[in-house]
Amino acid sequence: GEQGAGDAEMGGSEALAVAGAATALLHDLSGLVWEEWQAYLDAARLGCHSLVTSLSQSYLADRAERFGESLFREPRLFEQRAYMPQGGADPTTIAKALRTSMYFRALPPPPLAEVPRAASTESQCVFVEQWHSSKHDLPSSQRALAPDRTAGGASSPAEPATAEPATAGPLPEGATPLELARRLGLELGGKGRDYGLRAGELEHQAARSARAAPAWPEPVTPRLSLSWMPSGRSPLPPGKHHLYVFVHGFHGNALDLRGFRNQLALLLPDKSCARFLMSSSNEDFTATSSFEEMGENLANEVRAFLRSESLDQSAARVSFVCHSFGSIIARAALRKPQLEALLPRLHTYISLSGPHLGMLYTSNMLVELGVWGLRKWKNAQCLTELSLKDAKQPTDTFLYTLSKGDMLARFTNVLLVSSAEDRYVPHHSARLQLCPEAMHDPRFGTAFVSMVHNILSPLQCSNLVHVDVSFLPLISTKLVHQLDQAIGRKAHIDFLEQQAFLQMFVQMYLSYLV
């Protein structure tokens, strides 16, 4: 027993000796590593700007090429802006075919992905874009793609019609939506589903306009850099700023659009001239107040921000990024006298699934039931206004009145972003376009057609772009997630929360935001 105790004591001493030697070795090794690490940090600190610039350029170029594989652009004539695209495959079919194609699946994965799923091309968003212009403004390579609607005796866009364009004027009592559409310069196609504007009429109106249509924005190279690094080249004069106002939607808050803001702040070529306002003035009012009241709140908030940041004179450009109800709140705010001085400086308006034409003609019965319940039990005034039931006559409702004095035409660029997968907001309402149901509705159809005309007709002096988005397919076994997708809520929220969409949209449409 005594011998065993001695052996154990000797073994313990040897173990302590080995542990001590190992500790000393690790200490010496850590000292060497620490010195090397500090040397690396010193070198990285000195060359951080060139290091980030060189790495980010190739990263962003690879990402843009990858995004371009799922971005489809279609030039359309300006007179076609009032109706949904007809013929061909719809965006959902295009997205499904692309994600299952062998070519798309074989694309190499990105060199860097924030989440494992982002490396899969099958889960990438698909954009289908229509940008509107007169035919003589289209690039020569695109003119053949522009539908030619001048064959039926209408004037060529290159030679405007001599007759005065159709105007609303007084209508005979009991005029149908179809009669009004034709009176306003809208034309119903042979099968009752093609609602185009008569060729030549709006070109003639545009030629007579005092304000020429702006040039399409030049491509902008994104610049991935940190805020303290030297700024890139700014499109604004020295000392001028670009104010970005982010407006949330129903039951939203100031942080809803932080993902969009973060992507924008990350990629702007010149970060020093950017100022961001995340609107919070209506966080407690979207469920109860009217759009008029919320517009007043937003106007006061923007005015106060301009004063507190000393931007009254230096804000050379002002852009609005709005989600859902926020799209209408921003339009209401721009009619207020507090923001009158900003009207000449309005640059880009981005509407992410905004119900510009209300909630009429929705196919989602659950949403209709929810809207009805909130109107009855919560006295949600804004929902009553979206239903065009805040007045006895549709032409006396808030949305109709807003359409008559709308300020969208003061923006250089108007981007209407929508998704057929979003069933919270009717697709035609988010795109500001006509739908077949309105043409046969004796109660609201006439007002609906007039609203489309009132808003879209002045946009001949703006760059109008429709972007239809197909989001990542849902991969979840949770009942709540599957229910969200079934009722269309998932796509409505994806505009705010899906990183794949935010990264792709901000990078591919950055030229509209600088």
Side-chain angles (χ1 to χ4, degrees), residues 118-140:
S120 170
T121 53
E122 299 174 35
S123 61
Q124 185 168 308
C125 290
V126 178
F127 290 1
V128 178
E129 170 195 320
Q130 294 93 30
W131 51 277
H132 302 264
S133 180
S134 60
K135 192 166 186 178
H136 59 272
D137 286 338
L138 296 181
S140 57

Side-chain angles (χ1 to χ4, degrees), residues 84 249-250 291 322-328 331 351-368 371 383 386 399 416-433 435 448 468-469 471 484 487-493 495:
M84 304 285 285
F250 188 66
F291 283 114
C322 314
H323 177 249
S324 189
F325 283 28
S327 302
I328 300 179
R331 289 170 53 202
S351 167
L352 303 173
S353 194
H356 298 279
L357 301 174
M359 303 292 286
L360 297 176
Y361 317 122
T362 178
S363 60
N364 193 332
M365 297 301 296
L366 288 176
V367 171
E368 285 192 61
V371 169
L383 292 178
L386 284 179
L399 284 185
L416 303 175
V417 188
S418 60
S419 175
E421 300 162 14
D422 177 4
R423 298 183 62 202
Y424 263 28
V425 173
H427 198 205
H428 58 266
S429 187
R431 290 176 59 92
L432 262 172
Q433 292 178 326
C435 65
F448 185 92
D468 215 311
V469 183
F471 290 102
D484 278 349
I487 65 176
R489 179 181 181 272
K490 175 186 176 294
H492 194 69
I493 303 302
F495 284 111

